[in-house]
Amino acid sequence: MSRGVRLYVALVLLVVGLVVWWVMSQAAEKRLNPNKRDWESFVARQVAEQTAPSSYPLRRKLDFTPFEAALNRLEAETLERLQTLTQQATIAELQALMQAGQLTSEELTLFYLWRIRRYNDQLRAYLEVNPEALEEARARDQERQQGQVRGLLHGIPISLKDNISTRGPLHTTAGAAVLSQHIADQDAFIVQRLRAAGAVVLGKNNLSEWANFMTSQSVNGYSTLGGHTRNPYGPFDVGGSSSGTAVAVAANLAVAGIGTETSGSLVYPAAQNSLFTLKPTLGLVSRDRIIPITAAQDTAGPMTKKAPDLAVLMSVLTGYDPGDPQTQMARGFTFPTVSPSPPAALRVGWVQHIQRRGDQEALEQVAQALQNLGAVVVPVPFPESSIEMMPVLHAGMRRDLAHYLKTTGAAIEGLQDVIEYNRQHPEAMRYGQNLLEVSLSHPLSDAEYQALVQKNRQQGRERLLELMQAHRVDVLLAISNSLSLLTSTSGFPVVNFPAGYRESGEPVGASLVGPALQDPLLIGLAQAVVERLGIHRPPILR
């Protein structure tokens, strides 16, 4: 055989080998994540829509008139000092400074109002600022001077997702034009608890309209009243329906925020904005006067820049509400002090599921950090499931929204009114409303709905517990919201934390999942891992 023929044969064998390797690798990747290509296409569309030049004819303009004089007196030196401080300090540290007389709630609140005025047109994180925010801050300062400290959040400026009801003058809209003038009859139960603990309500955050259950063509972070929320880290997907709250916290337009989740709406935006969040055990936090998708899965939860702040906020949010039977679980439950030291002999199951490039590298770092902390990390398969969640969401939206509207004294009665309004005002449904229409006519009866809710809850819990027991692990480690179908139906808690950044600078989030009421353990683990990694960085705004 001549040298030329040998080279030709070798080249053919090399090409064949590469083809076989590519086919096998694609098959392996498909087994690990059969929807990766669909997910990448989804993300690409989100980014294209969120970053495209757009006009918003119904967008609500923020009103800074009540603060103009005070804002104009702010000095550059003060702004620089507070910017450095607020990026680094925990809620407890801010409280200590105020208690020592080195900081006031008025200064802190005015600083955040300045930043909202400076950056909100760029990021569209807020739908409305609280015209009474500065008055509330001054009142908290006066109380402190008189020796009256309400609680752990005394004087701390907090933002709220705009599906969480607030008393006037703030509106509660879910980003929808039909609710643009809606003022709830009173604060939601959790807002009452926040105020009782001394929090200052800065304003209401933009969101995916109707918590991302308006249309199958929706775009994360888009609402008629707010436009497209933008990711402060760059041209990246902003995440699910709590995106405005996530951006407000990540961009330092609030100390912390409260969002909500039905399935992934806290975890995914937190991941995309390099934040900490807790999707609490279902039943720890009241659902009172929160615009629903379905009471079967809805919960509010905190979004923060620092892990310890999750525990501070949860100690306030957690509580029994006589108006929400699910919160019987919270009766007598005191959120304990969180320990950043993993318990002895902790075993963590690393769920083998990769969604996008960069996920594997980030989770490898997290797994190494856990091992360095003394935990045993073992690979576990992705838990497949046949849970039927969509019928619960559709039927829940139909029944639970009507209950919310009646309870809060809204001018409309239910989905029919929403759908008719949008048909008469096409500018109010940029991407359509097919999910609302399906929900209105969904055939699931109340009895069938309740049966399916219980079935899903049992299947979700069993699938997660079976996975943990089969591999003898205490908690699961996964990428972002990849386990959201199971965690949302089971009601199990999830903590998301910053796990790294892709080559483009886009944040990567990792999640820890545990059984019911293991929320403190998950927060402590997240804190320990991130302290060990030391890679978290804030976005740079211009």
Side-chain angles (χ1 to χ4, degrees), residues 1-12:
M1 183 182 297
S2 69
R3 181 182 178 187
V5 172
R6 287 197 301 271
L7 286 173
Y8 175 77
V9 171
L11 181 60
V12 169

Side-chain angles (χ1 to χ4, degrees), residues 231-266:
N231 192 316
Y233 281 90
F236 314 122
D237 185 13
V238 77
S241 75
S242 296
S243 50
T245 307
V247 170
V249 177
N252 202 22
L253 309 185
V255 172
I258 309 299
T260 68
E261 173 162 329
T262 304
S263 183
S265 288
L266 282 165

Side-chain angles (χ1 to χ4, degrees), residues 67-311:
F67 326 114
E68 285 297 345
L71 286 169
N72 291 335
R73 290 195 298 269
L74 269 176
E75 297 179 351
E77 183 180 344
T78 301
L79 291 170
E80 185 176 350
R81 173 176 63 86
L82 290 176
Q83 170 63 9
T84 301
L85 171 66
T86 53
Q87 283 288 3
Q88 299 173 350
T90 63
I91 289 175
E93 290 166 344
L94 293 174
Q95 283 283 19
L97 289 172
M98 287 192 280
Q99 195 64 26
Q102 299 175 27
L103 178 68
T104 67
S105 178
E106 180 179 355
E107 287 178 319
L108 202 54
T109 301
L110 196 57
F111 164 76
Y112 281 115
L113 290 169
W114 184 91
R115 285 187 64 82
I116 295 168
R117 186 179 66 170
R118 170 68 177 82
Y119 294 111
N120 196 66
D121 280 345
Q122 174 183 339
L123 300 173
R124 296 185 279 275
Y126 278 84
L127 287 174
E128 188 174 18
V129 289
N130 179 10
E132 299 176 349
L134 211 50
E135 294 175 25
E136 292 180 15
R138 288 166 178 158
R140 300 297 83 76
D141 287 335
Q142 187 174 8
E143 290 171 353
R144 190 184 294 275
Q145 290 168 6
Q146 296 169 349
Q148 302 170 3
V149 176
R150 295 189 179 195
L152 295 172
L153 300 177
H154 194 94
I156 300 295
I158 301 292
S159 68
L160 304 173
K161 184 177 178 180
D162 197 26
N163 61 347
I164 301 172
S165 288
T166 43
R167 56 172 167 77
L170 284 169
H171 299 83
T172 303
T173 70
V178 68
L179 290 180
S180 63
Q181 300 306 310
H182 174 55
I183 294 179
D185 61 323
Q186 64 183 55
D187 284 335
F189 182 82
I190 61 170
V191 178
Q192 295 176 36
R193 291 184 67 86
L194 290 167
R195 292 191 195 274
V200 174
V201 176
L202 270 175
K204 308 296 286 291
N205 296 129
N206 199 5
L207 69 162
S208 308
E209 193 163 334
W210 294 110
N212 227 4
F213 205 69
M214 181 176 181
T215 166
S216 57
Q217 296 303 308
S218 66
V219 171
N220 287 333
Y222 173 80
S223 75
T224 300
L225 297 183
H228 293 96
T229 311
R230 295 287 300 273
N231 192 316
Y233 281 90
F236 314 122
D237 185 13
V238 77
S241 75
S242 296
S243 50
T245 307
V247 170
V249 177
N252 202 22
L253 309 185
V255 172
I258 309 299
T260 68
E261 173 162 329
T262 304
S263 183
S265 288
L266 282 165
V267 172
Y268 185 46
Q272 287 298 112
N273 289 276
S274 204
L275 290 180
F276 295 88
T277 195
L278 171 72
K279 196 284 285 186
T281 297
L282 186 65
L284 287 185
V285 178
S286 171
R287 299 161 297 179
D288 168 65
R289 287 172 171 79
I290 298 176
I291 298 177
I293 294 179
T294 172
Q297 296 177 198
D298 294 346
T299 184
M303 309 186 88
T304 66
K305 295 186 283 290
K306 304 289 183 179
D309 292 347
L310 290 180

